[in-house]
Structure formats: C-alpha cells, structure tokens
Amino acid sequence: MSKHVVAQADEIAPGRNKLVTVKGREIGVFNVNGEFFAFANKCPHEGAALCMGRVVNLVESDEPGRYRVSRHGEMLRCPWHGWEFDLRTGQSWCDPEHTWVKSYNVTVEPGAEIVQGPYVAETFPVQVEGEYLVVEL
Ligand code: FES
C-alpha cells in the first residue's frame, strides 16, 4: 500500500470535495463535517463520474407525506440515475447488500512527517506548515 499527498487539509472546506488523480485513478476526496473520505470517481451502477454528483442529506420515510431528514451532507447522489451512497462507508442506499463504491483510506498528517525520507544529504532549514491529506492506494 502506498501513500500519496493529495491536498493540504485546509484546502477542502467542510461540505466540499476535490477530485485528484493518483496512479491514473480519479479519486474524489470529501470533507464530511470535518472528517475526510475518498472514493473512486466511478459509480458502481453504470460508471458515471460519481464524485461530480451532489452531496445531499439522508431522507427517510415510513409512510406517504411523512419524512425525516438527517445526516446532513453525508450522502452522495450519482449524477446519472440518482443512486445515493453513504460518504462515510461507500455503501449504496439503493442496493446496500451488493453495491459499494470503491473507497480509500484518508489520513491527515503533519507536513513535517511527510517530508522525512530514508536518505541523508546536505540539509538546509526548511519549514513545512499545516497538515496534508494523504490517500492510501
Ligand atoms: S451510473 Fe450512477 S446511478 Fe447509474
């Protein structure tokens, strides 16, 4: 498994996302209420660019005319046929037993830990500030 720096943590505000390419794969990195999640930009239904879809709330109903809205900004709706996926797990809301979108682990790491390597050469003082989003493939 390899790690790839894809963005600075403060670059993606809550409710927003960024499309990145890692090893030829398009991946959407989402900030869900301060937590980061990453998914393949390919809907498991018929292959749409899933990460171009709208981030929506979960809407549930037990009977006509009554509904509940919850989990604000935690669902991703595919732009082609409207299937919805849980941004926290990748699980399909239309076919939860069989359909998941490919997800990737995202960590937030301090810049100083990312730039360290195994080799030693002549060094100069360098300061890395902020935190970075790292996707594991
Ligand atoms: S391609 Fe995404 S719901 Fe059909």
Side-chain angles (χ1 to χ4, degrees), residues 10-23:
D10 61 3
E11 193 179 325
I12 308 172
R16 309 292 293 192
N17 64 73
K18 179 180 182 180
L19 194 62
V20 300
T21 301
V22 180
K23 287 188 168 179

Side-chain angles (χ1 to χ4, degrees), residues 43-48 50 78-83 85:
C43 181
H45 179 219
E46 289 186 357
L50 178 62
C78 180
W80 279 8
H81 309 107
W83 284 28
F85 296 86

Side-chain angles (χ1 to χ4, degrees), residues 31-49:
N31 182 336
V32 180
N33 302 319
E35 294 180 72
F36 292 94
F37 301 90
F39 300 97
N41 188 27
K42 185 175 182 181
C43 181
H45 179 219
E46 289 186 357

